[in-house]
Amino acid sequence: MIMTDKKSHSSRAHHQPHPNKGQPYTISETRFWCQRLAKTTIRALHILGVAVSSAGFIFAVEKSLWINWWILAMMSGITMMSLEVYRSKLWLIQLKGVLTFVKLLMLLSIVWLPAQQAHIYIAVIILSVFIAHGPAGLRHYSIWHRKRIDEKKSLNG
């Protein structure tokens, strides 16, 4: 004689699928606002650090006056990059990610080209404007796929 648990069998029979199953991930409005404000705060700190440290790169102000701002710019920049990669690995092959690494290489080149540091720093700032405010078709262009990639679904198309 096989015994069945009618209660568990009954609950499985009436199981309803999750209301968001098959739909994009959604978050509460409160969580959205908290995440948006946190990201905006990090970006504001980054811009502040870049702006103040420009005194050293462009106007040769004494290093002790701007180095902590440079550290703020680098730490907030690394945080923003990490959040982007965590959110989507596609960032690494989209122009917005690739050009961020180009900016880092340009900044590193100052070590070998110190006489050009002001010009390099200004070029990095100009490139940053195009990365942040350029058309989505430019920012989301994948150097791997050779087309605009917005979502993971687009990879199969």
Side-chain angles (χ1 to χ4, degrees):
M1 181 171 149
I2 300 175
M3 302 283 289
T4 60
D5 181 359
K6 289 184 179 184
K7 187 175 183 180
S8 66
H9 177 70
S10 173
S11 67
R12 276 187 256 136
H14 299 304
H15 175 72
Q16 296 294 322
H18 190 277
N20 291 337
K21 188 171 184 166
Q23 296 178 9
Y25 173 72
T26 58
I27 61 173
S28 71
E29 186 173 348
T30 302
R31 186 170 179 169
F32 168 80
W33 278 98
C34 289
Q35 287 179 353
R36 176 64 74 115
L37 289 173
K39 189 174 178 181
T40 301
T41 300
I42 295 165
R43 179 164 288 148
L45 291 171
H46 184 69
I47 292 170
L48 180 62
V50 168
V52 177
S53 63
S54 68
F57 287 94
I58 298 172
F59 303 111
V61 172
E62 182 183 328
K63 191 174 188 175
S64 64
L65 297 174
W66 59 268
I67 191 64
N68 289 333
W69 297 100
W70 177 246
I71 293 169
L72 174 64
M74 291 296 99
M75 294 291 95
S76 56
I78 289 168
T79 302
M80 288 191 303
M81 287 175 57
S82 300
L83 289 172
E84 290 294 338
V85 171
Y86 176 77
R87 191 178 63 79
S88 172
K89 305 295 183 274
L90 290 174
W91 184 85
L92 294 167
I93 59 171
Q94 291 173 318
L95 277 181
K96 58 186 175 177
V98 173
L99 292 176
T100 299
F101 286 107
V102 168
K103 290 189 319 182
L104 289 173
L105 289 173
M106 290 170 70
L107 290 170
L108 184 61
S109 75
I110 291 172
V111 172
W112 297 284
L113 303 166
Q116 299 300 317
Q117 75 178 19
H119 302 305
I120 293 169
Y121 199 81
I122 290 168
V124 168
I125 290 173
I126 291 169
L127 184 56
S128 298
V129 171
F130 282 96
I131 295 170
H133 303 288
L138 173 72
R139 291 181 289 116
H140 297 169
Y141 181 82
S142 166
I143 61 168
W144 181 262
H145 300 91
R146 302 224 186 273
K147 65 179 183 178
R148 178 180 171 162
I149 301 290
D150 290 315
E151 299 177 18
K152 292 178 183 177
K153 288 186 248 178
S154 300
L155 293 175
N156 297 330

